[in-house]
Amino acid sequence: MRKPLGVLALVLGVGGLGLWARAYNAHEIEQKITAEAAGIVAPAIHGITSTVSGRDITAKGIADTEAEKSGILAALNGLPGRRVVHDQITVLPKVSPYEMSLTKAEGAEALTAAGSVPSEAFRKDIAALPGHPDPGPLVLASGAPADWDRLVKAAAAALQPLDFGTASLTDDRLVVTGQARTPAEADLVHAALQDLAADRVEVRLDLLDDGTPPEWHFSYDAFSGAQVSGKLPVGLDEKTISAATGIPSVYSPAHQALIGEPGHEAALLGVLAPWFPSVERLNANMAPGKAEIFAEVGPGSNTALLTETLQSGMKAISPELDVSVTVQEVAPRGDEGEQRTNAITGQTEELRGGYWLPVANITPSLTECTAQADAILGRSTINFVSGSDQLSADARAVINQLASVVLPCTGTGGLQAKIGGHTDATGDAEMNLGLSQRRAVAVRKELIARGIPAGDLRAQGYGASQPVATNDTEEGKAANRRTTIEWTGEGPQ
C-alpha cells in the first residue's frame, strides 16, 4: 500500500513542478517581449506605444511614413516568443509640396503661421522662435525636407527687421517678401538667411527709403493750391510745409526719407511765404544743396526785385546752396469780372483790369471807407526801394488790397481819395518832400492801373511834416515812412 502512494506523490510533485516552471518562464518571456517591443517603438517620430498581453503585442499610434510603420511591425514580428502582433498604427498623411508660411502683420509683434508641421515636438519649437508664432493652426503632416527646422528658423529671423512681410516655405525653398524701412533693415534680412544656399532663397523687399538723396518738387497755383511730390527729406512733411508757407492745405503724394538729418528745407520755403499772395504759379525743384525756383506773377510786380529778394533770402539761410530763381510776369487767367477763391489767402478775388483784386465786404461810406483803408495800411506798409519811388517787391499785394476798398468807395460810394506820401526826418527836408510826392504819385498810378478813375485820385507828398512817432529810433522812423488815404466827398446820398 505504501508503494503506490509514494509513486502517486512523486508523479504529482513532478507535474506541479512542471506547471510552476512553465508559468515562471511565461512571465519571463512576457517581460522580455515587453521590454524589447518598447525599445523597437521608442524611436518612432510621433510616439508609438506597445503593450504586451501574454505573448500578444499591440502597437498603437502614428507612424510618420509607411516605411516607418512597416519597419516597426517587422521588428515586432521578429521578436522571439511573440505570438501575435496587433496593428493599430495609422500612417501620417504625406503632403507634397510641403508648405508652411510665417506672416508678420503691420504693427504686430507676433507672427502667424499656416501650413504643415512635421511633428508635435516641432510645433512646440516653433512657438519659441523669434516673433513667437502661434503654431496652433499648423496641420500635422509628413513630407518635410530633412533640414526643415533650419529653414523655418531662418524664416522667422528674416521677418523680424521688416515692417510687415511673409516668409513662404515650399519644400526646400524659402521666399521672403515685405517692407523694410531702409537698406539697413534689408541687410539684416539677408544676414538672417546667409547660411542658406543662395539658390534656395529669394528675397523681394520694398524699401520705404532706398537710401537715395531726397529730391522733391513743390508746386503752387493760386486757383488750386499746393502739392508736393518726390522724396521729402527727414523732418519735412505736408504739415511742416503748410506751416512754413502759410498755405492752409498741401496735397502730398510724396514719400518720406528716413535716412539723414533735418536740413533747412522748411526755412527755405518760408522765404517764399510772403510772396504767395502775389504769385499765380510757382514751381520749386529741390535737392541736397540745390534749389530751382520758377514763379509766375501777375501784372504790376517788380520781377527783378522779387528775383533778387528770393535768391538772397535763400542764400542767407544756406550760403552753400546753389540757387536758381526765375520770376516772370504773366497775363491773368480768366475773364473780366470772373471771381475765384485765392488758395493761400482764402479771399474771394475778382479780375478787374488784369488784376485779381480781393472783393471787399464793404458798404461804402466816409466812415467805413476810412476805417477799412486805415486797417489795410495799418497792418501792411507800401514799401519802396530805399531813397527812391520804385515800389518794393512786396508792394503789389498791399496795393491790390487797397484797390479793393478804393474801387467801391470811389465808385458807388462817390468819394474821392487823396493819397499821402510821408517820410522820416532823415536828410534834407526839401528832398524828403519831393520823394514823398513821387511815392504818392507812384501809388496813385498803380491804383489807376487797377481800374480806379484818375479823376477820383489825388497824390500829395508831406515829407516829414506829419510824423506819427519819434524820429530818434529806427522803429519810429519806420512808422513815419508810410502811405495814407484821406477821403473827401459826401458819399452816397
Side-chain angles (χ1 to χ4, degrees):
M1 185 67 182
R2 289 180 180 174
K3 187 175 180 179
L5 289 174
V7 171
L8 179 60
L10 178 62
V11 170
L12 290 174
V14 171
L17 182 61
L19 290 173
W20 175 85
R22 186 179 303 168
Y24 180 79
N25 285 339
H27 180 68
E28 268 193 338
I29 292 171
E30 182 176 341
Q31 285 185 322
K32 184 178 181 181
I33 292 173
T34 298
E36 291 178 344
I40 290 171
V41 301
I45 296 173
H46 304 291
I48 293 175
T49 61
S50 62
T51 56
V52 179
S53 177
R55 286 178 292 155
D56 294 347
I57 305 171
T58 300
K60 185 176 183 180
I62 299 174
D64 192 58
T65 62
E66 286 287 353
E68 183 185 47
K69 174 181 176 178
S70 298
I72 290 172
L73 293 178
L76 292 176
N77 278 307
L79 287 178
R82 65 96 187 141
R83 186 165 52 207
V84 177
V85 175
H86 298 288
D87 174 14
Q88 294 184 14
I89 299 174
T90 59
V91 177
L92 194 66
K94 181 177 181 179
V95 296
S96 182
Y98 204 83
E99 295 178 319
M100 184 179 133
S101 66
L102 297 175
T103 300
K104 182 179 183 180
E106 188 168 12
E109 294 184 4
L111 305 181
T112 57
S116 301
V117 65
S119 69
E120 292 301 331
F122 196 84
R123 188 192 301 274
K124 293 179 180 179
D125 292 341
I126 288 175
L129 292 175
H132 301 288
D134 176 10
L138 296 175
V139 177
L140 194 63
S142 68
D147 59 348
W148 187 249
D149 57 339
R150 187 173 169 219
L151 283 172
V152 174
K153 290 176 182 178
L159 290 175
Q160 295 312 297
L162 299 181
D163 292 337
F164 55 86
T166 298
S168 301
L169 297 95
T170 303
D171 291 333
D172 63 348
R173 289 187 57 78
L174 170 61
V175 178
V176 179
T177 61
Q179 176 178 285
R181 294 178 65 79
T182 70
E185 283 77 18
D187 289 344
L188 292 175
V189 174
H190 288 284
L193 305 172
Q194 65 182 353
D195 292 335
L196 302 179
D199 61 350
R200 298 176 62 187
V201 179
E202 183 179 356
V203 179
R204 301 194 297 265
L205 300 180
D206 294 323
L207 297 181
L208 280 181
D209 188 339
D210 60 4
T212 58
E215 297 185 3
W216 49 288
H217 176 75
F218 173 83
S219 63
Y220 170 78
D221 188 294
F223 279 86
S224 57
Q227 176 174 317
V228 62
S229 59
K231 183 179 181 180
L232 297 176
V234 172
L236 192 70
D237 57 22
E238 59 267 31
K239 291 183 179 179
T240 54
I241 291 172
S242 178
T245 60
I247 300 172
S249 178
V250 177
Y251 174 65
S252 175
H255 61 282
Q256 186 83 47
L258 302 174
I259 303 172
E261 297 295 327
H264 304 296
E265 287 77 14
L268 293 173
L269 289 175
V271 173
L272 304 174
W275 312 105
F276 282 117
S278 300
V279 168
E280 289 298 308
R281 293 191 188 96
L282 183 141
N283 288 285
N285 295 313
M286 310 293 284
K290 188 174 182 179
E292 296 178 348
I293 312 297
F294 181 81
E296 295 179 347
V297 293
S301 300
N302 191 325
T303 57
L305 271 179
L306 182 52
T307 300
E308 181 183 346
T309 301
L310 293 179
Q311 188 144 353
S312 61
M314 289 189 168
K315 278 286 191 181
I317 291 171
S318 182
E320 72 284 358
L321 189 68
D322 179 10
V323 183
S324 171
V325 178
T326 302
V327 181
Q328 69 178 29
E329 186 175 297
V330 294
R333 295 165 285 164
D335 300 322
E336 185 74 10
E338 182 180 337
Q339 291 191 347
R340 73 178 184 188
T341 300
N342 188 288
I344 189 167
T345 65
Q347 289 181 304
T348 301
E349 297 177 335
E350 185 173 313
L351 188 57
R352 299 287 297 269
Y355 296 84
W356 284 104
L357 304 180
V359 175
N361 181 19
I362 185 171
T363 302
S365 68
L366 184 59
T367 301
E368 183 70 8
C369 292
T370 299
Q372 292 219 21
D374 288 352
I376 292 170
L377 295 171
R379 64 175 176 262
S380 303
T381 301
I382 299 176
N383 292 315
F384 295 84
V385 175
S386 179
S388 79
D389 60 355
Q390 182 182 6
L391 289 160
S392 68
D394 60 355
R396 178 182 182 274
V398 185
I399 292 175
N400 281 352
Q401 294 178 48
L402 192 60
S404 71
V405 172
V406 176
L407 270 168
C409 289
T410 58
T412 58
L415 299 173
Q416 291 80 46
K418 181 167 67 173
I419 302 158
H422 303 263
T423 68
D424 60 37
T426 303
D428 182 77
E430 187 172 344
M431 291 182 63
N432 284 338
L433 182 62
L435 178 60
S436 66
Q437 178 67 31
R438 294 193 301 275
R439 287 180 171 179
V441 169
V443 174
R444 178 178 181 270
K445 180 181 176 181
E446 291 295 324
L447 292 174
I448 292 171
R450 286 158 174 77
I452 300 166
D456 291 334
L457 296 173
R458 291 171 53 207
Q460 177 69 56
Y462 296 98
S465 63
Q466 297 183 5
V468 292
T470 179
N471 280 294
D472 295 333
T473 65
E474 291 304 317
E475 292 80 5
K477 291 177 182 180
N480 289 331
R481 296 190 296 269
R482 68 196 190 282
T483 301
T484 58
I485 296 283
E486 296 179 63
W487 299 96
T488 59
E490 297 182 357
Q493 303 297 315

